[in-house]
Amino acid sequence: MRAAAPLLLLALAACSPGSPEARVRKAFDAAVAAVEKGDAAGAAAVLSPKFLGPEGMDRAGARLYLLGVLRGRRVGVTVLGNRIEAGEREATQTVDLLFTSRGGGGLLPDDQGRRTLVIRWEARDGAWLVREVQSGA
């Protein structure tokens, strides 16, 4: 559960480039790209200072977790489903993700391969940041 939380990340679907939905998708895509490059700092860049993850994980904890998970491991992220409901200041994204080990092949160990996440975003200082991540149904 904790492994997938910060690996929040991807998108498809078309929408206008300046819409809240498009900006959330862009932020999500950037985080996914960072995960796939093994860039923990880049992946954590979309986390709000008030970030709350599973089991009470805060932003600092998520950064440390990402450093540990991405160290020496190449992770691939495939978006199986992605739905965003966005307003001007808040958005909710539900994503169904498949995490794979790149280079070594196969799903990640410890039942970390497929996850559904509910991600709550907030507009803050002109950027969209992840306020909360929960495991979805």
Side-chain angles (χ1 to χ4, degrees), residues 8-42:
L8 29 104
L9 330 175
L10 291 71
L12 295 170
C15 50
S16 69
S19 73
E21 180 181 345
R23 293 174 58 219
V24 167
R25 287 181 189 282
K26 184 176 178 180
F28 182 70
D29 289 343
V32 169
V35 166
E36 289 186 322
K37 286 192 286 189
D39 177 8

Side-chain angles (χ1 to χ4, degrees), residues 28-88:
F28 182 70
D29 289 343
V32 169
V35 166
E36 289 186 322
K37 286 192 286 189
D39 177 8
V46 299
L47 301 179
S48 167
K50 296 180 179 182
F51 173 78
L52 178 62
E55 300 175 30
M57 182 185 292
D58 64 6
R59 186 174 195 259
R63 285 183 63 114
L64 287 174
Y65 180 78
L66 282 166
L67 282 169
V69 167
L70 297 177
R71 177 178 289 145
R73 179 186 284 174
R74 298 214 22 143
V75 176
V77 182
T78 302
V79 177
L80 303 173
N82 186 7
R83 185 178 44 125
I84 298 173
E85 296 174 15
E88 291 300 316

